[in-house]
């Protein structure tokens, strides 16, 4: 993967990590309920889940590439259409936030419980698998090592996702009211990023 492609991928990964999703909301909720330090278990679990579905998507795509490179072109165009559709859904989605109530306190959760919840939230989300199956072909070079590309892309996304969720968890109490206030505009920015990626990337050589 050359540096220009990686920088575009990095920008896209940041946009994905910032967009509304179950793991971001989980980090926000756990940050409010358990604090930033304990939410690290949730974040590491979610990151591992994402790496697992990236591996599933990439090596599944690799198996198709062994059959025909035409599949890569087809995946790029179908993937681009899906990303545009997803961007429109994110654009139209309601603001995200955590509403704190005066109800009973959250029971103490073990680190393993939080880790498991984060991992399952990422790995069992069918939209996540579908997203990466649409997203990753835009950056795969069929003439280079698929394993090396997986290590670069999975490592980059895992780092970006972990840092993003850590910041969300650390600022959860302050960021939740802000998201409820300006979240609609925030969603529109993230949705616009997805639409731009979906329209532009399939046209790249």
């Amino acid at each position: 993967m050359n540096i220009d492609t990686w920088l575009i991928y990095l920008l896209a990964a940041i946009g994905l990590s910032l967009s509304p999703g179950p793991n971001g909301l989980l980090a926000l909720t756990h940050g409010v309920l358990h604090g930033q330090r304990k939410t690290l278990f949730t974040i590491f679990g979610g990151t591992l889940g994402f790496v697992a579905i990236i591996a599933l998507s990439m090596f599944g795509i690799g198996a198709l590439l062994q059959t025909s490179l035409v599949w890569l072109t087809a995946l790029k165009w179908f993937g681009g259409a899906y990303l545009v559709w997803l961007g429109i859904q994110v654009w139209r989605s309601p603001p995200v936030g955590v509403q704190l109530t005066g109800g009973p306190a959250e029971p103490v959760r073990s680190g393993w419980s939080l880790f498991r919840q984060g991992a399952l939230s990422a790995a069992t989300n069918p939209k996540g698998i579908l997203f990466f199956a649409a997203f990753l072909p835009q950056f795969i070079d069929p003439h280079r090592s698929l394993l090396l590309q997986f290590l670069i892309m999975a490592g980059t996304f895992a780092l970006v996702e972990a840092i993003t969720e850590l910041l969300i968890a650390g600022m959860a109490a302050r960021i939740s009211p802000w998201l409820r206030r300006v979240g609609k505009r925030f969603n529109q920015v993230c949705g616009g990023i997805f639409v731009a990626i979906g329209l532009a990337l399939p046209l790249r050589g």
Side-chain angles (χ1 to χ4, degrees), residues 1-13 58 61 65 72 76 83 131-146 149-150 152-153 197-198 200-202 204-205:
M1 177 180 285
N2 61 49
I3 188 66
D4 292 338
T5 300
W6 180 79
L7 288 173
I8 295 171
Y9 175 80
L10 176 63
L11 178 62
M58 278 198 73
I61 292 165
L65 293 182
L72 182 60
K76 283 185 176 183
L83 293 175
F131 177 86
F132 281 110
F135 179 65
L136 296 175
Q138 317 297 336
F139 301 97
I140 291 175
D141 184 344
H143 305 296
R144 296 175 185 263
S145 166
L146 191 65
Q149 291 179 84
F150 163 73
I152 293 171
M153 286 197 265
I197 293 170
L201 288 182
R204 295 173 67 241

Side-chain angles (χ1 to χ4, degrees), residues 38-91:
K38 200 159 188 181
T39 305
L40 284 171
F41 290 102
T42 308
I43 294 169
F44 291 149
T47 301
L48 183 63
F50 280 123
V51 169
I53 61 172
I54 290 173
L56 182 66
S57 300
M58 278 198 73
F59 292 109
I61 292 165
L64 285 177
L65 293 182
Q66 291 179 357
T67 305
S68 172
L69 288 179
V70 174
W71 280 108
L72 182 60
T73 302
L75 283 170
K76 283 185 176 183
W77 284 101
F78 281 115
Y82 173 74
L83 293 175
V84 169
W85 178 86
L86 183 63
I88 293 170
Q89 300 307 304
V90 171
W91 180 289

Side-chain angles (χ1 to χ4, degrees), residues 37-199:
R37 193 168 187 176
K38 200 159 188 181
T39 305
L40 284 171
F41 290 102
T42 308
I43 294 169
F44 291 149
T47 301
L48 183 63
F50 280 123
V51 169
I53 61 172
I54 290 173
L56 182 66
S57 300
M58 278 198 73
F59 292 109
I61 292 165
L64 285 177
L65 293 182
Q66 291 179 357
T67 305
S68 172
L69 288 179
V70 174
W71 280 108
L72 182 60
T73 302
L75 283 170
K76 283 185 176 183
W77 284 101
F78 281 115
Y82 173 74
L83 293 175
V84 169
W85 178 86
L86 183 63
I88 293 170
Q89 300 307 304
V90 171
W91 180 289
R92 298 171 61 186
S93 63
V96 173
V98 176
Q99 183 67 51
L100 296 177
T101 67
E106 173 80 2
V108 176
R109 301 274 299 277
S110 70
W112 167 245
S113 173
L114 298 178
F115 178 90
R116 186 174 63 245
Q117 190 173 358
L120 289 175
S121 176
T124 62
N125 181 3
K127 289 184 178 179
I129 298 173
L130 188 56
F131 177 86
F132 281 110
F135 179 65
L136 296 175
Q138 317 297 336
F139 301 97
I140 291 175
D141 184 344
H143 305 296
R144 296 175 185 263
S145 166
L146 191 65
L147 178 60
L148 180 58
Q149 291 179 84
F150 163 73
L151 293 174
I152 293 171
M153 286 197 265
T156 298
F157 184 81
L159 184 61
V160 168
E161 181 70 15
I163 291 172
T164 302
E165 289 189 22
L166 186 62
L167 291 173
I168 289 172
M171 298 186 295
R174 284 171 290 175
I175 203 174
S176 184
W178 176 81
L179 280 174
R180 283 196 298 271
R181 235 179 15 254
V182 303
K184 187 63 179 175
R185 182 59 57 85
F186 181 76
N187 290 354
Q188 289 172 350
V189 171
C190 292
I193 290 173
F194 285 148
V195 170
I197 293 170
L199 291 174

